[in-house]
């Protein structure tokens, strides 16, 4: 039979210092990650604030579109098709031009 020797347990003071250093590194990593997150979401945050500011206008506009669509469903379908095709064309141009 062989004796299984256990590694000596570090003293509580050494263990505390090790853990405090680990916490310090993790906090520094969190500060960097927070800054990267804020930088990458700035445009989204600005857009969201604009949408929230325009909320009452969007409610009125959506109500008007709903009433119009009940009265003229064929026109709504026609204009929505046109809007989607224009949107698709714009996206295609942006995608093509951004590659160059």
């Amino acid at each position: 039979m062989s004796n299984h020797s256990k590694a000596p347990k570090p003293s509580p003071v050494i263990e505390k210092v090790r853990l405090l250093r680990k916490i310090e590194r993790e906090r520094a990593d969190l500060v960097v990650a927070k800054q990267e997150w804020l930088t990458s979401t700035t445009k989204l945050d600005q857009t969201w604030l604009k949408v929230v500011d325009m909320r009452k206008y969007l409610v009125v506009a959506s109500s008007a579109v709903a009433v119009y669509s009940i009265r003229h469903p064929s026109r709504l379908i026609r204009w929505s098709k046109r809007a989607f095709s224009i949107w698709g064309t714009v996206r295609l141009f942006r995608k093509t031009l951004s590659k160059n």
Side-chain angles (χ1 to χ4, degrees), residues 51-67:
V51 168
V52 169
D53 287 342
M54 294 186 333
R55 184 175 52 213
K56 60 184 171 187
Y57 302 113
L58 292 174
V59 169
V60 170
S62 65
S63 300
V65 168
V67 169

Side-chain angles (χ1 to χ4, degrees), residues 15-76:
E15 185 66 13
K16 182 178 178 180
V17 169
R18 186 186 68 79
L19 289 172
L20 286 173
R21 286 184 181 156
K22 181 179 178 185
I23 290 169
E24 198 174 303
R25 283 192 308 271
E26 288 176 354
R27 284 181 178 167
D29 291 343
L30 281 173
V31 167
V32 171
K34 175 188 169 192
Q35 191 57 42
E36 290 173 356
W37 174 261
L38 290 175
T39 302
S40 63
T41 59
T42 299
K43 187 171 182 175
L44 180 65
D45 291 338
Q46 291 170 350
T47 304
W48 179 252
L49 287 175
K50 287 178 186 177
V51 168
V52 169
D53 287 342
M54 294 186 333
R55 184 175 52 213
K56 60 184 171 187
Y57 302 113
L58 292 174
V59 169
V60 170
S62 65
S63 300
V65 168
V67 169
Y68 185 79
S69 68
I70 290 171
R71 295 188 56 146
H72 307 285
S74 61
R75 286 185 186 171
L76 179 71

Side-chain angles (χ1 to χ4, degrees), residues 71-85:
R71 295 188 56 146
H72 307 285
S74 61
R75 286 185 186 171
L76 179 71
I77 292 170
R78 187 178 339 144
W79 281 102
S80 63
K81 286 180 181 178
R82 289 177 184 167
F84 279 119
S85 66

